[in-house]
């Protein structure tokens, strides 16, 4: 601040003091208390200007405020955040609970461990079907159970129907005849 600006500031303060003293006498107030509290009034106006609080016009209420310092203290000790961020955007959407996980897949029967080998008519004239597993030949008949897991439901010339007992899942093995 240079010398010319300081002189203008001091001159402006002197005029303001004179006007304040005359204004206080005009309304029947004592000019002395107003002059004693003038530095407080100036600091209050400066703090209002700094924090962006709109001050009142120079009305008699300003002098009354300057005499009551509790109002100024309440501004300084305020818990309101003057520099809070204000947004005009709509509030973010509420968090939606994620959907429940899909149910586990349904268990599936393992691949049938036997392979069709062939059919033959036995000595009694009955048709016997043979399956193989680990180089073993196993004769099967209808309504028979294999390994306590597979039930032979039906046997015919064209197919074998098998049920996997733990899951009660049916499997059909198609038989190709020599004519096909």
């Amino acid at each position: 601040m240079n010398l010319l600006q300081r002189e203008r500031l001091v001159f402006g303060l002197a005029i303001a003091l004179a006007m304040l003293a005359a204004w206080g006498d005009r309304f029947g107030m004592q000019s002395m208390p107003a002059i004693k509290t003038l530095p407080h009034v100036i600091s209050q106006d400066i703090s209002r200007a700094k924090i962006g609080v709109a001050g009142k016009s120079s009305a008699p209420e300003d002098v009354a405020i300057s005499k009551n310092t509790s109002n100024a203290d309440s501004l300084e000790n305020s818990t309101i955040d003057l520099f809070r961020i204000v947004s005009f955007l709509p509030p973010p959407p509420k968090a939606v609970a994620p959907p429940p996980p899909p149910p586990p897949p349904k268990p599936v029967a393992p691949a049938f461990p036997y392979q069709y080998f062939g059919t033959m008519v036995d000595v009694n004239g009955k048709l016997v079907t043979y399956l193989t597993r680990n180089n073993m030949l196993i004769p099967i008949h209808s309504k028979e159970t294999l390994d306590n897991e597979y039930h032979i439901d039906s046997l015919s010339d064209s197919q074998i129907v098998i049920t996997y007992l733990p899951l009660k899942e049916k499997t059909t093995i198609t038989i190709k005849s020599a004519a096909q």
Side-chain angles (χ1 to χ4, degrees), residues 17 36 74 117 123 139 175 177:
L17 277 172
K36 286 181 182 175
S74 68
F117 184 75
V123 216
I175 302 171
S177 65

Side-chain angles (χ1 to χ4, degrees), residues 119-140:
T119 43
M120 183 175 104
V121 177
D122 69 355
V123 216
N124 299 333
K126 287 186 169 182
L127 188 64
V128 178
T129 305
Y130 290 93
L131 299 176
T132 63
R133 179 176 185 188
N134 298 330
N135 292 326
M136 291 177 47
L137 200 57
I138 303 165
I140 60 169

